[in-house]
Amino acid sequence: MRMNGMLIAIDGTAGTGKSSVGKAVAAKLGYGFLSTGEMYRALAYKVFEKHIEPEDHDAVLAAARQLHFTFVRQPDASLKMYVDGEHLGAKLHLEEVGNVASRVSTNGEARRVLMEKMRDVGEDGGIVMEGRDVGTVIFPDAEIKFYLDASAEERANRRFKQLQQAGEHPNYQQILSLIQQRDYRDSHRAVAPLKPAKDAIIIDTSALNLQQVIDAVWEKIQHYAS
Ligand code: DC
């Protein structure tokens, strides 16, 4: 076991509730919670701000090297991320930023730079880390690995409802198509493609609500800890 407890990896496709589940489980354990996607989103944000082409390998790598992250633990267990001293917050969750994040994350060298930063945060344990390659690449020695999945249609449905509730007029077909494009890119890239680790516990969340997923994950953790 690590100094501060286990390192729990939660990987999977976008829109499966990895962050909500990870935060809930981390709070129960008194652990920290880190979303590695937020770090890719921070890189995407800077790339966008500096007018860098997401496919410009060297410029994206240089931007990754310049990023300075600090994390401050919050009462709900999450680690509040500051990028070069600034909390970027909701700006990181714009649809465009997610898409640029998916594009810059195909840059193998930039991934290595961010991975080192992720390892620094997680190596002492006591953390739930969520992403695409936490259990396969960042921490292949994680104590417990989960892989959450759901059909693209169900994830598009969830996103559609979220946007509707936020007072927007979303287009279902457009959302579905963006999700499918992102899945394809994330799972076909040459470096660290999205796939379950061999020893991951796979949970299909298509027919489950959030609480049911949390319960399923929690049960496995207790089983591991006993
Ligand atoms: O989980 P998210 O939607 O915030 O992630 C945004 C993008 O970052 C996602 O499309 C792929 C990339 N990503 C990655 O390549 N590896 C990770 N561990 C996390 C995210």
Side-chain angles (χ1 to χ4, degrees):
M1 186 77 83
R2 301 158 204 269
M3 203 191 305
N4 299 322
M6 299 179 279
L7 185 300
I8 299 176
I10 304 185
D11 291 306
T13 44
T16 48
K18 287 173 295 174
S19 284
S20 311
V21 172
K23 245 184 242 174
V25 169
K28 274 170 173 273
L29 288 164
Y31 280 12
F33 169 78
L34 179 76
S35 156
T36 58
E38 293 244 317
M39 294 171 73
Y40 283 99
R41 285 173 183 267
L43 173 60
Y45 187 83
K46 294 284 173 173
V47 159
F48 183 77
E49 203 178 48
K50 292 178 179 174
H51 305 290
I52 297 169
E53 249 314 292
E55 278 72 34
D56 182 340
H57 177 275
D58 293 354
V60 170
L61 174 59
R65 288 198 173 121
Q66 279 164 18
L67 285 175
H68 185 259
F69 292 102
T70 40
F71 297 93
V72 180
R73 177 90 169 248
Q74 301 298 296
D76 72 348
S78 60
L79 299 172
K80 187 168 179 179
M81 182 176 81
Y82 291 83
V83 186
D84 303 331
E86 188 190 352
H87 177 60
L88 296 170
K91 284 188 265 187
L92 294 183
H93 290 280
L94 298 170
E95 214 70 44
E96 295 86 336
V97 176
N99 276 298
V100 176
S102 168
R103 288 164 69 188
V104 296
S105 68
T106 61
N107 184 318
E109 284 189 81
R111 293 193 72 86
R112 237 190 330 263
V113 171
L114 291 189
M115 183 174 73
E116 287 310 320
K117 298 177 196 284
M118 292 163 190
R119 286 186 174 154
D120 285 346
V121 185
E123 63 190 356
D124 289 339
I127 194 159
V128 176
M129 205 178 268
E130 169 267 319
R132 301 287 191 289
D133 61 342
V134 180
T136 49
V137 179
I138 310 172
F139 285 105
D141 60 346
E143 277 71 33
I144 316 181
K145 302 176 186 178
F146 292 96
Y147 187 90
L148 305 189
D149 210 352
S151 68
E153 288 74 14
E154 176 55 27
R155 288 181 288 133
N157 243 331
R158 291 175 188 171
R159 185 78 186 133
F160 180 82
K161 283 188 194 145
Q162 260 176 8
L163 291 171
Q164 250 185 350
Q165 276 163 11
E168 294 184 33
H169 301 283
N171 175 322
Y172 175 82
Q173 279 309 325
Q174 204 175 2
I175 295 173
L176 179 61
S177 151
L178 273 176
I179 286 179
Q180 286 167 333
Q181 281 170 32
R182 188 124 82 93
D183 282 356
Y184 185 86
R185 197 161 41 219
D186 290 351
S187 53
H188 286 79
R189 64 176 175 229
V191 193
L194 173 66
K195 61 169 186 213
K198 283 199 181 67
D199 50 351
I201 298 161
I202 300 176
I203 300 177
D204 185 335
T205 72
S206 302
L208 304 178
N209 65 33
L210 183 59
Q211 191 56 48
Q212 289 170 319
V213 183
I214 294 170
D215 291 345
V217 166
W218 185 243
E219 191 192 321
K220 297 284 182 193
I221 293 173
Q222 283 186 314
H223 187 253
Y224 174 87
S226 65

